[in-house]
Structures are given as C-alpha cells and as structure tokens.
Amino acid sequence: MKRIEALNDFVIKFANVNGSGSASANELFAKAILRMGVPVSPRNIFPSNIQGLPTWYEVRVSEAGYLGRRGGIDMMVAMNPQTWDADVAELEPGGYLFYDSTRPLPPSKFRPDITVIGMPLTEICNAVYTDPRQRQLFKNIVYVGALSVLLEIEPEVIEKLFGEQYKGKEKLLASNVQALHLGRDFAKEHLDAPLGIRVKRADKVGDQIFVDGNAAAALGCVYGGATVAAWYPITPSSSVAEAFQKYCGKFRVDPATGQHHYAIVQAEDEIASIGMVVGAGWNGARAFTATSGPGVSLMTEFIGLAYFAEIPVTIINVQRGGPSTGMPTRTQQADIIACAYASHGDTKHVLLFPEDPHECFEHAACALDLADRLQTPVFVMTDLDIGMNQRMCRPFAWDDSRSYDRGKVMTAAELEAGKDFGRYKDVDGDGIPWRTLPGTHPTKGSYFTRGTTRDPYARYSERGPDYIYNVERLLKKFATAATLVPQPVLRPASRKTPLGVIYFGSTSPAMQEALDVLPESGIHLDALRLRAFPFPESVKQFIASHERVFIVEQNRDAQMHNLIVNELDIDPGKLTRVLHYDGTPITARFITAAITKHVTLSMMPRGKTAQAQEVQP
Amino acid sequence: MTYIAKPRLHHPTLETNKVGYTRRDYEGKISTLCAGCGHDSISAAIIQACWELDIEPHRVAKLSGIGCSSKTPDYFLGASHGFNTVHGRMPSVLTGANLANRDLLYLGVSGDGDSASIGLGQFAHAMRRGVRMAYIVENNGVYGLTKGQFSATADSGSKSKKGVINSDSPVDLVAMALQLGATYVGRSFSGNKAQLVPLIKGAITHGGAAFIDVISPCVAFNNHPGSTKSYDYVREHNEAVSRIDFITEREEITAVAQPGEVVDVRQHDGSLLRLRSLHADYDATNRYTAMAYMQEHQARGEIVTGLLYVDPLATDLHTALNTSAKPLNELDVPQLCPGAPALDKLNASLR
Ligand SMILES: Cc1ncc(C[n+]2csc(CCOP(=O)(O)OP(=O)(O)O)c2C)c(N)n1
Ligand code: SF4
C-alpha cells in the first residue's frame, strides 16, 4: 500500500465530541507547528449545540502558505465513535487513521488503503488519573504528545506554549507537561514513527500573527475610536463584542480615575442594539453593533431610518448559513443583497469585505471613519470562516499620526460665525450634508431628526420636489462613497488573458491558491478582489476589458454577481458564476475544478453543449 | 401643509427666568394635533416645567417614537434637538444618545401604542437599565395616528368609537415601571396641570429612570361614553395620592405643610420634591406599598394619580457602567486609541 508522503504539506482533522475539552489541545497542536515556522490554518467545524454532538478541528499545514481549506484529509484523529464511518471515509487513499484502541474494533471498521495507528488512550489515562474529568481532559494532551512523535513536532515548542498558557499556575503546567510526555513515551515505545507526513522547522511564518477575525474586528473598533457598543448574542458574532469588552478593559480605563472610556450594553434584542447605536451615532459618539444574518433582519427598520435620517452606524455582520436559522454554525457569504439594500423603499448601503483578520481590523476602523464621513450605515461583511477561526495574517498596523475623520459636524463657533446651517443641504456638492450635535448652540443649529421626508432645512415636508432632492442627493452621496471606500485589489495574470475572476472576503485564500494552480492547466486569469460596495469605476473597467469574468462566491443565488449586474448595468452573459454554499469554506480544489470545467466546455464545438453559465462541480 | 413655524416676536414685558428665557423660548412649532387633544396640554406642561426649572432649552434632547404623541416634541423646546425615531423604539435610541453624552437632559415622549404595544420590550428594558431620562407616555388608550384602534392600555370592556368592545386585559405601564425598577414613577392626567407640571419637573431632575403615565384623552377617537380614557371618565374616577410641590435648592421653601402630611424628598441634584400626601399613610418612597396601593385602588375602579414612587438617591446606567465623567462623544484619539506601540506588543502576543 502506498502511504502519503509529505513534508509540511498535509491536512489533519480531529474528530471530537463537543464539550470534551479537545479544543484547547487541538489549538495547541496547530500553534506548535506555527511556532516551528510552518504556516497552518485551522478551522473549527462545530454543531449548533453545547455538549455531546460531534465537532471537528481541521488543520491545514502548508509550507507554501495556502490558508484556504484544501479539501480531503491526510490524517484523521478519530476520537468520536458517533462519526467514525464518515470520518474514516473522508481520508485520502494512503492516509493515516489515529484512534483510541482501548476497545478493539473489527477489521470492517477500517479501510485497506489507509494506515491505522491505534493507541489505548482511555486505558492509559485511566491508569494514571483517578479524577474522571482529568481522565477526559488529559486524553487530549496525551494524543497531542503521541502526534508530536508521529509528526516530529518539537516537544520543547509545546512545553513553551504550556508555559505561556499556565504562567503562574505551576501545578497545571507540570501536569500538562507530564501528560504530553505520557503520550510521547508511549508513541516512542509502541508506534511506528515518524509517519510519511511530517513537520520540519521552516522559516515561512515570519512576523505574521495568528488571530481570529472577530477579535481583530473588535480591536479595529477600539483603535477606530468606537465608544458605544450595543449587541445581542448570536453565533458567530458574539465574540466580537466579548473581545471589544476585553480590549476596552485593557486599553480604555482611565488610569487616574478608573473610569471607562467606553460603554457596552448587551441589549434585549437586535432591534434595541441597533437603536442604541443609532442614538449614540446621532449624538456624536462612534458606535457599532456586531451581529449575524437573523440580527440584520431585525435591524432593517432602523437601518432604513439611519440611511434616510443620515446617521453614522457601523454594523459588523459575521455571516453564517441562512436563510432563517439555516446553518447557524456554518459559513456563507449570503447576506450581501440583504445588507446592500436593507430596509424598505430605495436604500443602498456601504459594505466592506475584509479578506482576513488583518483586514477585519482595518475595515472595522475604516468603517467608523466612513460612517462618520458619510453619515450612513456601514457594514463590515465578515463571516464565520474568518470571524471564528484563527488565521495567520500580516500583523496589525496603526499610523499614530492618524486622526479620526469625524465628518461634517458644524461647531458652535462656526454657527456663531453665521455659517448657514441646513441639515440636509448639499453645500459641498458631494451629497454629504453638514450636521450639528445636540446641545451645540443655544439658538442656532438645532433641528428635528425624523424618518419622514423633509426640506433641506430639516423641516417636515411631503412635497414631491423636497423628496426628490433628498433621495437624489443620497445617490450622489453613494457615488462619493465609491471614491472613499477601500479600492479593489488587482492581481494580474502572468500573461495577457481574456479571462478574469472577481472574488471577495473569506474566499481569498482559496482563490489565491487556485490562481497559482490554474496556470498548470493553461488557464490564466486576471483577478480582482473586491473590498467594498459601492463598486468603484475600476470594477466596470475590469469586466469590460475581459471576454469572460468568473464571479466566485459562497451563496446559492449569486448575490455578488447580481449586485454587480444590477449596479453596474453589466451584460450578465459575460459573467460566469462559481458558487459554493454547503456551509463549509470554499476550497481551491472547488474553484479550480469549476473554472477548468467551464473553460473546457466552452472550447467544445458549438451545439454539442450549452454554454454553462453556472458551474458546480 | 408641511409645517407651521411660530412667529418669534416677543412681547418686551414677558417674564424671564434665571437663565434669561421667556416661556415663549420653550415653545416649538404650532401643533398640528386635533384641537382639544390631551397631548397639547402635556406639551404645555413640559414647556412650563422647563421654564420653571431654568433649563437652557438646547441642553435638552427630546426623543420620541411614532404616533400623535410622538409628534409633540416638535411643538415644544424648538431650540433643542429632537428625534422622531421609529414606532416603539424611542427607549433604545434615547439610551444610545444618553450613553454618548451624559451631560444633556433626556426627554422621552411616547404613546400608549408606542410604549405598551409594539414598544413594550424597549420600555421595560429602559426602565430596568436605569437610563436617566424623563419618560412620558401620553396615554389615550387608542392609536390616534392610525385612527382609533385599541392600544394595549385600553381597559377590558371599554368601547371603541366604532362600537367594538375590548376583551383584552390592559397593560398597566405604571405597575410595570414599578416592578421593573424605575426609580421615579407617577401618573397624571393631561387636564390637571397643577399636578402634572411639578411631576414633570421632578422627573427631569431625577437621577435615574423616571416614568410618568399621563392619561391624555384623544378627542377624535376616545372621548366618548364607553371609553375609560375620556375626560369625563378620568375626572370622575381620579384618586390623587399626592400633590407635589417642586422646590429647587436655591429657593426658600414657602409651602405651608400640615405636620404629618408632608414628605420632603431630596433628589440627587439637591432639589427637593415636596409630596403632600392626601393620605397620611401614603409613603412614596416604598416601592412595594406603592404597588399594592395602586392595585387596590385600581380594583375599585379608581385611577390613582400623583407621584407613586421615588428613590431620591437613584443612580443611572452611567453609574453602573462606570463611564467617564467627560461625555463619550467628546473623547478623542488620546483617550481612545492605544497607539502603535501597544499594537506592536499585541502583535507579539499573537505569535
Ligand atoms: C412598524 C410600524 N408599524 C405600524 C406603524 C403605524 N403606526 C403609526 S402611529 C401608530 C400608533 C400610535 O399610537 P400611540 O402610540 O398610542 O400614539 P397616539 O397616536 O395615540 O398618540 C401606528 C400603529 C408604524 N409607523 N410603524
Ligand atoms: S387623533 Fe387623537 S391623539 Fe391624535 S391628535 Fe387627534 S385627538 Fe390627539
């Protein structure tokens, strides 16, 4: 039998039971490899349940630095009898199966084309530990120890990680190190090590950091100057607010007085959380909420108010599988249309699409600036894949000369100097009016904010021309927004090509890998990564300058494709959709296969096959 | 018609208050509500209260939901910023506004449809959060703006103008506010200015969540026989627990009080609320007796009005959150941004 042989390039998956304490052991495993200078990208695959159901942790090890999900598993650490059959089936031929052999299994439970490594984990732990919880918890550390021998992960690196984790808790540190060596000793004595897949120290991580997108977005809100956060718990966004709380506790407490330079409210629901953000934004504080699809649904009435009354609002939408409760713990990019046009009537909202935690940080800070500048809701569209998984990325950066763009806020002095204040007047020709904050001046600049239409001086009006003036100005403002949002990133092919591809957000790592792989089969693509809606002019030009453009996204209905067609008036016949929406993160294999299939089909003689516009291998 | 601005001509002899404003300075646009609508009387009481309190109009932020009642902030305090939010959601917007700038006075105006139907949840949570504000519900038992449907405060058995009998039990916002932890709870009647003005003054100066339910007949849809929110009905069934005098620190207390009948309560800002109990045994500082008293009288068909409960030393959401004394909306980069060196350290901890 041929075994998979690979150095620093494999996928290992841990199949566990929710609540068994495996999460920190698995993370430790991934982090140890990272510390050896080898890029990893782990993904939590978990059910919408607290305890007892299956959960997986998939780690891709890739010296080449590919961080997207690859697809296929080279080694399975099968700790969950419930999912045994499916887990074993997922292994690539020549792969490795590691399991707890305390209770022997019949040969029918295995596959002939894989290498099976049994280790009596339960037996070992039962012999050493008496406390049932310890028996369970240390089982995870014992298998990490065994894997470190099988895969040649340096034990000193793991011990150092323990040292950091249990700083000041010497007893815990000692017992973890002991469990690690329990696993190592057994593996050295009884198992055939190393395997064909192995880790070798490299220098491919550099100064990159390892962090999840939600923590990064929260930090972006701290750096971006958000002072009011209102939220309601929902997976996968809750950890944004929780991380914001943590970072504020660290960075935003006045050392002299102990007073907080922030306010965080866990609201009674999403309607109240966005309402608080609207109130705070109206009153001149930078405010945000973090939510996911169902929360956005509830917020839409307020989003419409904020759009029409022109109030800065930042919403971090960590997307998950919909519609309805859909797949609450799986990833999708399926709220694009719902957010772009959230609320009733004619609305359009600014959306930002970060590709990784680094950009989650940047876009969150940028969203707060844009919301103030444009006086409108701004969405940061992340998803579960970036939000809840730790990802290797460029370190966060901040320019200390950067100040906050508070937008057009007229001061008491300006009002005093006699500046004409008309709340909804387009003074500067960019569609963005000036505002005043409550309490500014005893006699000048006050106005009444409302969701009903009004004249340029904010006076209630149902006159058609006043309405038209307003909504047309909002369109002009949206055009201004296109020049202010993060611009698309172009990655040209190495040679001239009629083919282009458009992608965005968490699809990025899989796409980058696909772009490296596709030229091997003679397919060259110019690639454009969108970073925001409204789409800048360059998006239209990119499509115009190619014969065929693929649009890769993670939803069923080609939402980004539709937004592009709708907003840029593009002939849909030029576009090909590449859609992935089973809730798992898209893979390079999927993208490569879809595009290859399309190119091959379209090269066949006409009539033999219909032009495939939608490719779903 | 779009709006009607009031002429700003002031008679030179108009009396000014301590901050130099006349009563006219506290007015707003001309009301577009029906002539005789109870809501207009409440606006007048708010104007009177703010004038008497020597509040600078622009230091007030007035927020409301949607409804005839919620339109009223346009008709008073023209020099302050107003915000007509969405139906039933004024409390959350006010909460956010208050968090952004704790230095302003917050006036929340709502209707019974707005607060007891669609907005019941937000009402409840604003009370239990202790957001510092004067929250006034202009309670007419119907939806005025959408023309006469029952609201959730309509008494069961009461009759709509179209003759429909309401079979649902009413929501009593006063009882809820007491139960949820509001620290100033009162009920009044739009037609009783002598009681309403001091009650509003007390609410505005109160240090926590102040709630006043004001029965405010809707002349268009709920002022007919069979309604329990009509002028006649309320006049006949009113049971006042207290008349309150509002006295600021600076003024000598002149009210003559009969021993045993007066309770003075000092609010956190130093001002005094003088309750003149009509019943010697009524204690407005006890939440539980207030609840029982109100419900006993309600069972007898009486509407208890006056200040039912006050915690004079109440604190608010800012106290609970320990937010900085300087308003959050005035903080800037030095107080808010940890800066590049801190970020570098953080980056290092993430490797
Ligand atoms: C989401 C939503 N649903 C319904 C309405 C329609 N609506 C406007 S005002 C109102 C009722 C107002 O009643 P109330 O708060 O009692 O105020 P009143 O007009 O009686 O003073 C309703 C249902 C709305 N504006 N928004
Ligand atoms: S409909 Fe009723 S509540 Fe509305 S303005 Fe007229 S009287 Fe007042």
Side-chain angles (χ1 to χ4, degrees), chain A residues 293-294 297 320-328 332 334-335 556-557:
Chain A
S297 300
R320 62 188 216 179
S324 188
T325 321
M327 292 197 289
Q332 274 187 355
D335 299 343
R556 184 194 68 182
D557 289 347

Side-chain angles (χ1 to χ4, degrees), chain A residues 301 344, chain B residues 33 37 39 65-72 85-89 110-118 137-153 216 218 221:
Chain A
E301 189 190 24
H344 52 281
Chain B
L33 303 184
C37 174
H39 299 352
I66 298 287
C68 297
S69 35
S70 290
K71 281 176 152 192
T72 61
T85 64
V86 290
H87 195 24
R89 321 295 182 194
S110 179
D112 45 305
D114 206 56
S115 280
S117 296
I118 190 168
V137 164
E138 310 191 342
N139 184 354
N140 53 18
V142 290
Y143 289 169
L145 198 60
T146 52
K147 302 198 173 223
Q149 302 83 1
F150 282 123
S151 87
T153 65
S216 173
C218 168
F221 302 107

Side-chain angles (χ1 to χ4, degrees), chain A residues 16 49 72 177 189 195 326 341 363 369 375 459 486 499 584:
Chain A
N16 296 100
N49 175 275
V177 171
E189 210 172 305
L195 306 179
Y341 303 128
H363 285 191
D369 268 347
Q375 298 171 34
R459 294 172 300 207
L499 300 178
T584 61

Side-chain angles (χ1 to χ4, degrees), chain A residues 319 332-336 504 552-562 578-582 614 616:
Chain A
Q319 297 166 91
Q332 274 187 355
Q333 299 172 307
D335 299 343
I336 297 164
F504 58 95
V552 182
E553 52 186 315
Q554 304 188 60
N555 58 66
R556 184 194 68 182
D557 289 347
Q559 297 190 20
M560 184 61 86
H561 165 277
N562 294 341
V578 177
L579 306 172
H580 184 275
Y581 47 86
D582 67 2
E614 190 169 329
Q616 295 167 28

